[in-house]
Amino acid sequence: MDDFQVYDTVMITVSDGSEKEFAIMEEFDFEEKHYIVVSPVENDQVQGGLYIYKAVISGEEMEVLRIEDAEEFEKVSAYYESME
């Protein structure tokens, strides 16, 4: 039996300026901010690799932002790794 899972997805503008589809693997709060962990999606298949983004939720909308501050990224990454 196949382990088929359905994930919510979000479109994110990546470093080359194009928009890519990502599956939301996890969501968590840290220091009063919301973050999502995503994996790229190609041909309706979740690919390898996990990426952490800041998410600002307003009603039904989610704005996905890169974590620009290196210190914030390090803290969030360490917190996420400690959750596993």
Side-chain angles (χ1 to χ4, degrees), residues 15-79:
S15 58
D16 68 2
S18 64
E19 275 203 340
K20 304 274 186 197
E21 183 179 22
F22 288 83
I24 299 173
M25 308 304 285
E26 292 191 58
E27 296 186 52
F28 64 95
D29 293 319
F30 176 70
E31 294 186 348
E32 299 182 23
K33 294 179 185 165
H34 193 72
Y35 296 91
I36 59 174
V37 180
V38 299
S39 287
V41 174
E42 288 182 29
N43 301 319
D44 291 330
Q45 297 290 318
V46 175
Q47 305 299 305
L50 294 173
Y51 303 91
I52 301 174
Y53 286 87
K54 190 182 315 182
V56 178
I57 299 172
S58 176
E60 297 284 319
E61 299 294 313
M62 177 187 292
E63 181 180 8
V64 179
L65 306 168
R66 292 181 95 181
I67 303 171
E68 300 290 340
D69 181 87
E71 184 178 324
E72 177 185 1
F73 183 80
E74 289 297 320
K75 286 173 152 182
V76 171
S77 296
Y79 176 77

